[in-house]
Amino acid sequence: MLEIQTVISEINNGVLKLTLNRPDKLNSFNEEMHLSFRAEIERAHSEKAVRSVLLTGSGRGFCAGQDLGDRDPRKGGERSDLGHTIETFYNPTLRLIRSLEKPIICAVNGVAAGAGANIALACDIVLAARSAKFIQAFSKIGLIPDAGGSWSLPRILGEPRAKALALLGEPLTAEQAESWGLIWKAVDDAALPEEATALAEKLATGPTVGLGLTKRLIQAAASQDLDTHLDMERDCQQTAGFTDDYAEGVIAFLEKRPAQFRGE
Ligand code: T3D
């Protein structure tokens, strides 16, 4: 039997493109997709040739979170221990996304619901098709926002908007998400693939170490005081200052030509 690839991956021009691929289920996560997706993010950590990641979905949706067919209580047996599934599947992946010191761009091509929305929001730069919607669908089925949502939403939006989104589970349009600062940009549906690829390729030619350290610093900012953060900036700048890309950046500036960064 032909095996379906739940995550399609390809590397072009330094970009690892990952396409969630269960379109008839709006790319919701079954176990196989969890494991493949995590393996691909691990690959992004370890492969030097990967200098940015582009995440998107196949078909009309981005990702509808957990496959609820796998959680059907009518199938009998014991109830799933969701603490265990979160610990086994979602949390390791979220940690891998956040700790990846390379940019991850998310191209939200259609509806992003439940954990699907929060995985998108964990990425570094989120572009969304104008027709896409973000739905904190959890409350509709009696769950809480996971995949980091209850942590990221109040930080990005403040409590009033975070609470309303999470408690009501109503769709947020891409344009509203952009105007609230939840995502980088809403773009025309037809332009999304090209725009997201161009962005990912641009970042893949950037000074990878410096970009990774920048991501680390910005993520750390919310949880530490200024003094601690200034020390961290000093240390990160020290590291960046010893990279070949920094030397190249300065020489290119002085020679009035574009820098050729190699990610080293
Ligand atoms: O379990 C754990 O490990 C804990 C972790 C939980 C994390 C979570 O993500 S919980 C939240 C799970 N997700 C949801 O509750 C969202 C469920 N989906 C929807 O509410 C709707 O599908 C959408 C609002 C996202 C989109 O609506 P619409 O009208 O555009 O599409 P649709 O017709 O509902 O869905 C199209 C097909 O995809 C449909 O299949 P069919 O009827 O054509 O054969 C539908 O059943 C399927 N589908 C959509 N979402 C899921 C799904 N199948 C399984 N699981 C889904 N999450």
Side-chain angles (χ1 to χ4, degrees):
M1 203 171 72
L2 194 63
E3 215 166 289
I4 290 173
Q5 255 185 297
T6 54
V7 179
I8 300 168
S9 76
E10 51 193 307
I11 301 183
N12 283 311
N13 302 322
V15 179
L16 174 65
K17 183 179 178 194
L18 302 177
T19 307
L20 304 177
N21 187 40
R22 301 183 70 228
D24 53 334
K25 303 278 180 201
L26 294 183
N27 306 319
S28 56
F29 275 90
N30 64 3
E31 205 166 310
E32 155 61 27
M33 196 166 101
H34 273 298
L35 295 175
S36 300
F37 183 49
R38 189 199 308 167
E40 291 295 343
I41 305 290
E42 278 167 349
R43 176 183 180 199
H45 274 257
S46 62
E47 269 190 35
K48 217 164 162 269
V50 175
R51 291 175 63 190
S52 75
V53 178
L54 173 57
L55 173 63
T56 194
S58 67
R60 73 175 175 90
F62 170 68
C63 174
Q66 178 62 39
D67 186 325
L68 297 178
D70 290 350
R71 299 283 181 266
D72 185 351
R74 295 170 304 180
K75 286 183 180 162
E78 285 186 18
R79 289 192 179 170
S80 308
D81 175 349
L82 301 192
H84 177 72
T85 63
I86 293 284
E87 188 60 28
T88 309
F89 297 115
Y90 288 100
N91 285 358
T93 299
L94 261 289
R95 290 187 175 111
L96 282 167
I97 290 173
R98 296 287 293 179
S99 63
L100 178 65
E101 296 213 333
K102 298 170 184 179
I104 306 190
I105 291 83
C106 188
V108 180
N109 52 299
V111 66
N118 293 337
I119 286 170
L121 298 177
C123 295
D124 302 317
I125 300 182
V126 184
L127 299 178
R130 241 173 261 288
S131 68
K133 291 188 172 41
F134 295 82
I135 311 178
Q136 295 296 318
F138 308 91
S139 62
K140 302 275 188 199
I141 55 167
L143 295 184
I144 59 95
D146 60 21
S150 65
W151 182 89
S152 59
L153 290 171
R155 278 177 167 74
I156 304 168
L157 298 176
E159 273 195 28
R161 284 173 170 166
K163 281 180 180 160
L165 281 182
L167 297 176
L168 298 171
E170 285 175 3
L172 187 73
T173 64
E175 282 176 355
Q176 190 75 65
E178 179 190 322
S179 79
W180 282 8
L182 189 62
I183 64 168
W184 172 240
K185 215 173 169 190
V187 303
D188 290 341
D189 288 24
L192 181 71
E194 205 176 315
E195 222 175 290
T197 302
L199 193 59
E201 287 185 350
K202 180 180 167 153
L203 287 163
T205 61
T208 309
V209 176
L211 296 181
L213 293 168
T214 301
K215 175 173 171 175
R216 189 196 301 178
L217 279 160
I218 289 175
Q219 289 179 182
S223 58
Q224 59 193 11
D225 61 37
L226 177 63
D227 266 347
T228 312
H229 201 78
L230 288 175
D231 288 349
M232 191 177 168
E233 277 188 354
R234 175 203 58 213
D235 294 345
C236 288
Q237 199 67 297
Q238 184 176 48
T239 304
F242 284 123
T243 61
D244 291 347
D245 282 343
Y246 168 60
E248 162 63 7
V250 174
I251 293 167
F253 172 77
L254 296 173
E255 293 179 353
K256 299 188 188 303
R257 60 167 175 82
Q260 300 288 321
F261 295 121
R262 290 184 297 128
E264 287 165 4

